[in-house]
Amino acid sequence: MTFFFALMAMLNPLNKIPVFLAETKQFSPKLRRGLAVTLSVAVFVMLVISYFAGRFILQIFSISLPAFQIAGGLVIIVYGLRMTLEKTVIPDVGDEEDDGFSYDFDEAGRHLGEIIVPLGVPLIVGPGTMTTVILYSDIVTDFGGLIFFHLLMLVGTVITGVVLLFSDPIRQRLGKNGLEIMTRIMGLLLIAIAIQFILDGTGAAASTWLSAGLSSILNGTVPA
């Protein structure tokens, strides 16, 4: 479950509300809802790709997991600091006339390309999110674990989609202060997770170096 909380901290859908509203303010509420659902599907697909392609990329470039843990921890710390220190700008989408809780998926599919960058990539599924998925993929040891891991990603994506779906009511309820407080809490959580990544990576690397050095000494391959 640690992965789920880390993933939600990285996705941080509440922090994406201002950007989503800014990128979709010219659209009708019906189309905005369709875009929220369509975007969440695209996010899940990108998370799955990150899971399957991430470890393969590490192998291609001969990058060890401890090295990636340390580098990934540093990247996540940057994201956490930004979330903790930056101001949240909330746009006003106005009081559009709504025709009920309906969706426009056809138009949403045509307009998805307009918001997938920067909202989908890199704001929702950016280097930090991809790093989190790759690092935690190491806990998957069997098919059941694989299904559970992807189920957690699906739940995280659904939560993100629901938050974006109700982005304007949430904005009105929480207000600027509420969104800023939630964003800063998520930022602090990310920093703590990142530090743990760095400690784990450093410990694993040190253990490997000490084991290799001890083995060399015992085999007499290290000069006196």
Side-chain angles (χ1 to χ4, degrees):
M1 292 302 293
T2 304
F3 163 69
F4 178 73
F5 292 116
L7 178 64
M8 288 309 302
M10 284 305 308
L11 292 175
N12 192 13
L14 288 175
N15 181 244
K16 306 308 183 296
I17 287 178
V19 183
F20 179 74
L21 292 177
E23 293 292 327
T24 62
K25 62 183 179 182
Q26 72 273 25
F27 300 135
S28 66
K30 183 178 180 179
L31 177 54
R32 192 179 301 125
R33 288 191 290 267
L35 283 168
V37 176
T38 307
L39 181 62
S40 64
V41 173
V43 166
F44 178 70
V45 171
M46 288 184 282
L47 290 177
V48 172
I49 293 174
S50 298
Y51 173 85
F52 285 105
R55 300 304 288 267
F56 179 68
I57 293 174
L58 292 183
Q59 292 175 0
I60 290 178
F61 290 99
S62 299
I63 301 174
S64 67
L65 184 60
F68 193 73
Q69 284 178 312
I70 296 172
L74 293 174
V75 171
I76 296 175
I77 280 180
V78 172
Y79 277 78
L81 288 173
R82 287 177 57 188
M83 289 168 59
T84 305
L85 301 176
E86 286 184 352
K87 293 288 185 180
T88 301
V89 180
I90 306 176
D92 186 4
V93 296
D95 298 322
E96 305 102 321
E97 182 179 348
D98 202 349
D99 57 354
F101 201 72
S102 57
Y103 307 84
D104 191 345
F105 291 116
D106 292 335
E107 280 297 313
R110 285 191 282 269
H111 288 284
L112 181 62
E114 300 176 20
I115 67 170
I116 195 68
V117 178
L119 188 54
V121 180
L123 290 182
I124 297 180
V125 184
T129 309
M130 295 178 183
T131 298
T132 302
V133 171
I134 295 171
L135 289 177
Y136 277 102
S137 66
D138 191 51
I139 66 177
V140 177
T141 57
D142 53 27
F143 183 73
L146 177 67
I147 296 299
F148 184 66
F149 192 89
H150 283 75
L151 181 61
L152 291 178
M153 290 197 297
L154 178 61
V155 172
T157 303
V158 170
I159 293 175
T160 300
V162 170
V163 170
L164 295 181
L165 192 63
F166 294 97
S167 56
D168 197 37
I170 292 175
R171 173 189 68 87
Q172 295 173 0
R173 288 283 184 176
L174 292 180
K176 178 179 180 181
N177 291 335
L179 288 175
E180 284 191 350
I181 290 172
M182 293 300 297
T183 297
R184 278 156 175 68
I185 291 174
M186 288 294 185
L188 289 173
L189 179 60
L190 274 185
I191 293 172
I193 291 172
I195 292 175
Q196 188 60 56
F197 276 148
I198 294 174
L199 292 176
D200 291 344
T202 303
S207 177
T208 301
W209 293 334
L210 289 175
S211 298
L214 182 60
S215 176
S216 298
I217 292 174
L218 292 177
N219 294 329
T221 57
V222 176

